[in-house]
Amino acid sequence: MTDRKEIRKRARQLVKKQYALLVVLCALSIFFGTEFTNVKVNSQIMYDAVRGQVTVMDTMGSTVDRVMDAKILDDYINDYIASGNEKAAERLKALQESESANSILGRRKGMFAAMMNNINSGKLAATLGMALHSVIHSGRVTAALMIIISTLFTALIYIFIRHLYRAVLRRMILEGRTCRLVPLSHFFFLKAVKRWNRTAMTLLYATLCEWLWSLTIAGGFIKHYSYFAVPFIAAENPDVSPKEALQLSRRMMDGHKWDCFLLDLSFLGWRLLGFLSFGVTEVLWSVPYRMAAYTEYYVNLREMAKARAIPGSELMNDEYLYAPAPEEELRKGYADIVRRGDLVDEDIVVLSPAQRFFSRNFGLWTATLEEKKVYSRQEGLRQQMRLGQQELGREAYPQRLHPLWTKEAAALTGRVSYLSPVTVWTLIIIFFSFSFVGWLWEVSLHIMIDGAFINRGVLHGPWLPIYGAGVGLIAVLLYRFRKNPILEGVMVVLLCGFVEYMTSLVMELTLGMRWWDYTGYYLNLNGRICGEGLTVFALGGMAAVYLLVPVIDGAVTRIKPKVLIPVCILLVLSLCFDLVYSMNHPNAGKGITDYEEYTKTEQEAAAPAAAAAAFSGIRIVLPEMQNRP
């Protein structure tokens, strides 16, 4: 067995090689609560520490306990429905009026605040209980159903998302250990080989067995290390059965459990440093370092199991996770990539320099629609070819050589619709479509919340240009990043943040009023932008350019030009007239720029609607801002 110093040395090398990948993967594991659940980055403690007011905060465990509060359930069992709801309402009120509610890290307004406050106070459970009780008229049955619903929901999340991520995490790290690149599409490897459910059952079986052993005096400790290799085995061969995975792990760990414990113990100093740094060093170094060390330990175990030919070692059959594939095997598995490699460099559609510049950099098409169809399919093939060439060139793991990979999954289809460029006319329709949907969304929410029609926005027409402009800018300015979804997401946040901040500033300077104020929202900047809004914009923007824009583009390209062009011109002229008129007569007034704050009672009643309203971008302007010169 390789000594611990050598394993840790290799682990440090792996972290340096794939630092960003390991940090992101391990941070997701902490966020999902999959592993390393003792790591808690408490920004509120850090914030109070800076002010010299360190306080004892609730842990994640206590937060989870409040989702299905025992006292509320007791009230339901005894048919004290009103009492249970009052307890939840009191806790919700306390959270909304907490000392730090208006700080930069506060949770007084917005979707995230409403969601977390409703969960932490038990209000979500109480609302569910009231709905069930109105139908069932029995507190005991209501409490029983609440427990069943909560248990089933938690079990599904735990088994098919949180727990399964253990295998996904290990497979991605194993790929990064051997290859320079780990494409985002490889994250869904288990789904691609159709072994998502089987792998989930394998990990669930191991967890249940370990839990049962934990009921004995020393069984839980021993079996924790005895089943150490199960997630790695499932990650390597998702087709392995639960029983085979456990048996193989026990054989591999026979005589090595103490070594694994000592390796775990050697990170005690890093864990102490993580506690002193409020979890920051854990996220940025310690957890990725430990995960890399566990991976190197498993690789060493696997080599010894193969050398000794222990029963079941043949199940660990993905050799290319640990060593580059032979050139001959790669050429055979990627024959179509080799044969059609010219697709990446040569253009089937000949474009002028200007047409090529706009199509490649901004996704704008200026040639004929027939040429666009051919060009779009070629761009899709190019993207598939690039991924294939990365695998062929040993830069990424060769998925096609995995025993479970199918020919259908490896076929080159060219169906990558989000890379298709759009015409100017399509871009205009996209702008007005999302502007109208945004206006309709905000107006509908005000009808539900206030019971009155309120024409939202500074303009008078049925459109909110910030929605359409946001999607249009993402579609055009960020087209170059579309082949990299992670980078695209980061750029969407930056672009939307800049546009929203500058729009707020310019409107206030030119019109003397603010149409939104995020003061009190989590992570806001001068009340003009906030973390919550940018997250919603990022998710919405990504969904728009990867899913909705291709659909709209496909529909628009089927409209005859003699109909499409006049409609687009008419829409643009209408908007220009509205802009000119609104510069002198802006749309303002009740529910737009003088939106009064709810009373405390109204806030409690409107909490569910407030959570939904946050998605729309409904903004509240403080009274003192109304008549700012």
Side-chain angles (χ1 to χ4, degrees):
M1 184 72 185
T2 305
D3 61 28
R4 287 188 298 279
K5 288 185 178 180
E6 181 63 24
I7 288 175
R8 290 172 63 116
K9 178 182 177 181
R10 293 178 185 176
R12 288 193 295 271
Q13 292 173 347
L14 175 55
V15 174
K16 292 177 182 177
K17 175 185 176 182
Q18 298 287 4
Y19 179 73
L21 175 69
L22 281 162
V23 168
V24 171
L25 290 174
C26 292
L28 286 174
S29 183
I30 296 169
F31 177 77
F32 289 146
T34 301
E35 293 178 274
F36 314 109
T37 52
N38 61 311
V39 178
K40 297 178 179 65
V41 181
N42 200 321
S43 55
Q44 186 62 49
I45 290 180
M46 296 172 66
Y47 177 71
D48 290 339
V50 172
R51 298 186 305 162
Q53 299 176 8
V54 180
T55 57
V56 179
M57 303 297 292
D58 291 331
T59 62
M60 182 63 72
S62 63
T63 297
V64 174
D65 291 340
R66 290 176 183 168
V67 176
M68 192 59 62
D69 189 87
K71 292 182 179 179
I72 295 177
L73 287 175
D74 286 342
D75 288 333
Y76 285 167
I77 291 172
N78 294 299
D79 276 325
Y80 300 148
I81 305 300
S83 176
N85 294 331
E86 286 173 5
K87 286 184 174 67
E90 288 172 1
R91 288 178 179 169
L92 179 60
K93 180 179 178 181
L95 286 171
Q96 291 172 336
E97 297 177 353
S98 62
E99 181 181 351
S100 60
N102 287 314
S103 71
I104 190 173
L105 299 173
R107 289 196 332 221
R108 185 169 65 86
K109 297 180 186 176
M111 177 190 66
F112 291 166
M115 179 176 65
M116 292 303 298
N117 290 341
N118 273 275
I119 292 175
N120 291 358
S121 65
K123 184 67 176 177
L124 185 64
T127 303
L128 174 62
M130 285 189 65
L132 291 173
H133 191 269
S134 66
V135 177
I136 299 169
H137 303 294
S138 171
R140 290 180 180 273
V141 176
T142 296
L145 285 176
M146 289 174 66
I147 294 173
I148 292 172
I149 292 172
S150 175
T151 302
L152 287 175
F153 179 76
T154 303
L156 289 174
I157 296 296
Y158 180 81
I159 295 170
F160 294 104
I161 297 180
R162 286 178 55 186
H163 208 44
L164 191 62
Y165 186 71
R166 296 172 65 198
V168 175
L169 170 66
R170 284 156 176 78
R171 180 160 191 95
M172 297 285 278
I173 294 177
L174 285 170
E175 287 191 19
R177 179 180 177 274
T178 304
C179 307
R180 184 178 68 86
L181 301 175
V182 182
L184 183 63
S185 59
H186 289 198
F187 191 88
F188 303 98
F189 173 81
L190 296 176
K191 185 177 182 298
V193 296
K194 300 179 180 179
R195 295 299 187 276
W196 190 274
N197 294 338
R198 190 178 184 88
T199 306
M201 292 302 105
T202 298
L203 297 176
L204 177 62
Y205 182 63
T207 300
L208 290 175
C209 289
E210 186 177 335
W211 177 76
L212 290 173
W213 276 107
S214 68
L215 300 178
T216 64
I217 296 176
F221 174 81
I222 295 173
K223 291 302 177 180
H224 171 73
Y225 291 102
S226 184
Y227 299 149
F228 166 82
V230 171
F232 286 100
I233 295 170
E236 179 175 349
N237 182 6
D239 203 36
V240 67
S241 71
K243 185 176 180 180
E244 289 173 332
L246 263 67
Q247 289 176 344
L248 178 55
S249 180
R250 285 201 302 267
R251 295 185 187 117
M252 292 174 67
M253 294 300 296
D254 188 22
H256 300 291
K257 290 185 281 292
W258 181 249
D259 290 336
C260 192
F261 167 71
L262 292 178
L263 176 64
D264 217 0
L265 192 64
S266 66
F267 289 97
L268 186 60
W270 282 107
R271 295 185 184 185
L272 177 60
L273 180 60
F275 173 77
L276 296 175
S277 66
F278 308 109
V280 174
T281 58
E282 289 270 70
V283 175
L284 297 180
W285 177 260
S286 178
V287 170
Y289 182 21
R290 282 155 58 191
M291 198 62 235
Y294 297 153
T295 302
E296 292 295 338
Y297 187 83
Y298 167 75
V299 172
N300 199 24
L301 276 177
R302 182 183 183 277
E303 291 176 355
M304 290 192 298
K306 289 283 189 179
R308 290 185 292 149
I310 66 172
S313 60
E314 69 279 359
L315 294 172
M316 298 181 289
N317 57 1
D318 194 351
E319 298 299 329
Y320 305 134
L321 269 179
Y322 308 93
E327 185 71 24
E328 183 179 347
E329 288 292 322
L330 286 170
R331 288 192 166 274
K332 182 179 178 182
Y334 292 82
D336 55 338
I337 302 294
V338 176
R339 185 175 63 254
R340 305 181 68 179
D342 57 331
L343 284 175
V344 176
D345 302 319
E346 296 182 7
D347 290 325
I348 296 176
V349 178
V350 180
L351 300 174
S352 67
Q355 290 174 330
R356 187 181 300 108
F357 173 80
F358 283 107
S359 62
R360 290 283 176 87
N361 294 285
F362 301 104
L364 284 175
W365 187 255
T366 54
T368 66
L369 292 180
E370 288 301 319
E371 290 174 322
K372 178 178 178 293
K373 293 178 182 178
V374 178
Y375 179 87
S376 297
R377 185 173 185 276
Q378 187 185 23
E379 283 299 296
L381 287 171
R382 277 176 169 162
Q383 178 67 357
Q384 294 175 348
M385 290 285 291
R386 288 188 186 97
L387 293 174
Q389 288 179 343
Q390 289 174 355
E391 297 175 7
L392 176 63
R394 299 196 181 103
E395 291 184 290
Y397 169 79
Q399 291 194 114
R400 293 191 183 190
L401 301 187
H402 190 277
L404 298 176
W405 206 255
T406 62
K407 291 183 179 179
E408 292 78 11
L412 293 173
T413 62
R415 296 171 186 166
V416 187
S417 56
Y418 58 82
L419 293 177
S420 177
V422 299
T423 64
V424 174
W425 309 114
T426 298
L427 193 62
I428 292 174
I429 297 298
I430 288 171
F431 169 81
F432 281 98
S433 297
F434 283 97
S435 296
F436 175 72
V437 168
W439 175 86
L440 188 64
W441 175 246
E442 293 203 11
V443 167
S444 300
L445 283 170
H446 270 280
I447 292 175
M448 290 186 290
I449 296 171
D450 300 329
F453 173 84
I454 298 174
N455 185 22
R456 294 290 297 164
V458 66
L459 302 181
H460 295 268
W463 39 53
L464 288 176
I466 194 169
Y467 285 87
V471 174
L473 289 173
I474 293 170
V476 174
L477 297 183
L478 304 184
Y479 180 79
R480 292 282 294 183
F481 306 102
R482 197 108 340 125
K483 297 170 185 176
N484 188 334
I486 295 178
L487 186 57
E488 173 91 2
V490 174
M491 296 304 296
V492 167
V493 171
L494 295 176
L495 178 61
C496 288
F498 176 79
V499 170
E500 188 175 26
Y501 191 96
M502 294 306 298
T503 301
S504 171
L505 181 62
V506 171
M507 288 173 66
E508 183 177 354
L509 292 175
T510 56
L511 301 176
M513 290 178 285
R514 292 181 71 166
W515 267 256
W516 62 84
D517 194 322
Y518 289 120
T519 302
Y521 283 67
Y522 186 75
L523 293 178
N524 73 85
L525 181 60
N526 298 331
R528 302 187 188 280
I529 58 175
C530 66
E532 175 178 319
L534 293 180
T535 300
V536 174
F537 283 142
L539 295 175
M542 295 284 282
V545 295
Y546 283 101
L547 300 175
L548 300 178
V549 167
V551 173
I552 295 174
D553 179 50
V556 170
T557 52
R558 289 192 289 270
I559 301 175
K560 294 181 179 180
K562 63 181 181 180
V563 176
L564 177 63
I565 295 175
V567 169
C568 290
I569 293 174
L570 181 62
L571 287 171
V572 172
L573 290 175
S574 300
L575 178 63
C576 291
F577 176 79
D578 196 348
L579 284 169
V580 173
Y581 180 79
S582 298
M583 286 296 293
N584 297 316
H585 305 87
N587 183 34
K590 183 175 177 58
I592 304 172
T593 56
D594 65 345
Y595 200 89
E596 296 179 357
E597 293 189 356
Y598 291 126
T599 63
K600 296 177 181 177
T601 304
E602 289 172 329
Q603 284 179 341
E604 294 172 8
F615 277 107
S616 72
I618 290 178
R619 295 111 181 170
I620 297 176
V621 177
L622 300 177
E624 61 267 20
M625 303 292 296
Q626 294 175 17
N627 301 315
R628 176 176 291 186

